Amino acid sequence: MLAAAAIAVVSVLIILYVAFAFRNVQDDEEDDGERAGVSSWTYGFIAIFVLLHDLLVPLGVFAVFGQFAGAEADVLIVMALLTILGYSVNDTIVIFDR
């Protein structure tokens, strides 16, 4: 339960950070005057979607290990998941910045 809370807190902080980092992104205006860009909050929610996608593979592998090999989650697994979150958000920020 504590691990889920830690991941939820990190996710909220990532949304806030990405929204803050991209708050000055200028929206391009099309010729007819409509706004074509996205808001900084959208960047934050897209980053969380990508993070959840990146967590599915290691969680799936660990679930298979737990089912067939009897592996149990401990602090190292939670640290690994949080590390994946950190690297994934870094990659997402680099891509958004380009």
Side-chain angles (χ1 to χ4, degrees):
M1 191 62 154
L2 187 61
I7 291 174
V9 167
V10 167
S11 297
V12 169
L13 291 174
I14 289 170
I15 289 174
L16 292 174
Y17 170 73
V18 171
F20 179 76
F22 289 98
R23 70 188 181 282
N24 293 326
V25 173
Q26 297 295 323
D27 293 330
D28 295 330
E29 292 205 20
E30 296 178 3
D31 292 334
D32 59 357
E34 293 183 24
R35 311 254 335 153
V38 296
S39 73
S40 62
W41 290 103
T42 304
Y43 282 116
F45 287 110
I46 290 172
I48 294 302
F49 176 75
V50 171
L51 294 177
L52 293 176
H53 174 267
D54 290 343
L55 281 180
L56 283 179
V57 172
L59 282 174
V61 169
F62 192 72
V64 169
F65 284 155
Q67 182 68 29
F68 296 113
E72 294 183 10
D74 60 355
V75 175
L76 292 176
I77 298 299
V78 174
M79 287 175 30
L81 293 175
L82 291 174
T83 302
I84 290 170
L85 284 174
Y87 280 115
S88 180
V89 76
N90 183 36
D91 292 343
T92 304
I93 295 296
V94 168
I95 295 208
F96 283 166
D97 195 38
R98 300 199 180 221

